Amino acid sequence: MAVENKYTDSNVAAGNRAIQGRGGAELVVFEGYAAVAAADDDGSVYRVVKDIPSSFRPVRCVVQCTAITGGTDYELGLYDRNLGAVVSKGLFMTNQTLATASRSLDGLANVTVADLGARKSIADLLSLTPSTAKPAYDLALTGDTAGTAAGDVRVIMEGYMG
């Protein structure tokens, strides 16, 4: 019977305490709220956080909601600032139902575990270089199928500033 007893991350095995943001960056939390109205149309955009830097490296994102009847297809992604155009509306999450109340939907369902945290910034996830990325973007929910009832949505995204 094999028994493993080892450090599972090469950074930790090399003597570092844990994976940290580059340069010992601190964990930052962005939190936003959206009130979905019963009359909101499909395709409605709810910008929950303004100006998330393109150098931000997400670690975890939780989407919490009340039950939004018929709200069966929401995406979480990025738009250009100041009510600008879509950049990647489903970068973080796609095809998520909000028809059932929840406190624990994965807002980073589309990001691989290997890309989370200190590994990839928003610019990296968008396949942009520092020279082609914009300084910041708006984090937004898009209600592809917004639903027929009013409801509340909270988005809490944690990560490291670059």
Side-chain angles (χ1 to χ4, degrees):
M1 181 164 119
V3 176
E4 294 290 329
N5 183 11
K6 62 184 179 182
Y7 290 112
T8 58
D9 185 281
S10 60
N11 288 318
V12 176
N16 299 317
R17 289 186 182 178
I19 299 171
Q20 296 181 355
R22 293 181 184 110
E26 293 185 38
L27 190 65
V28 175
V29 178
F30 290 101
E31 183 177 354
Y33 171 84
V36 176
D40 289 351
D41 294 331
D42 292 349
S44 292
V45 177
Y46 307 93
R47 294 170 190 256
V48 293
V49 178
K50 183 175 179 156
D51 294 338
I52 289 187
S54 59
S55 60
F56 180 74
R57 296 182 311 275
V59 174
R60 178 174 50 182
C61 182
V62 177
V63 178
Q64 303 170 331
C65 64
T66 59
I68 301 173
T69 303
T72 57
D73 187 359
Y74 278 80
E75 300 190 55
L76 183 64
L78 300 170
Y79 285 73
D80 283 331
R81 298 181 300 171
N82 301 316
L83 303 177
V86 65
V87 174
S88 179
K89 74 176 182 175
L91 179 65
F92 302 119
M93 177 184 80
T94 53
N95 304 315
Q96 178 61 59
T97 183
L98 302 185
T100 303
S102 178
R103 295 181 135 205
S104 61
L105 299 172
D106 183 2
L108 295 176
N110 289 352
V111 181
T112 67
V113 172
D115 289 345
L116 292 174
R119 289 174 170 63
K120 292 221 176 169
S121 68
I122 286 174
D124 295 331
L125 294 171
L126 291 169
S127 299
L128 300 172
T129 65
S131 63
T132 59
K134 295 185 179 171
Y137 299 94
D138 287 347
L139 178 66
L141 281 165
T142 302
D144 291 330
T145 305
T148 57
D152 300 312
V153 184
R154 181 171 312 283
V155 177
I156 305 163
M157 185 176 281
E158 302 172 21
Y160 298 103
M161 297 299 266

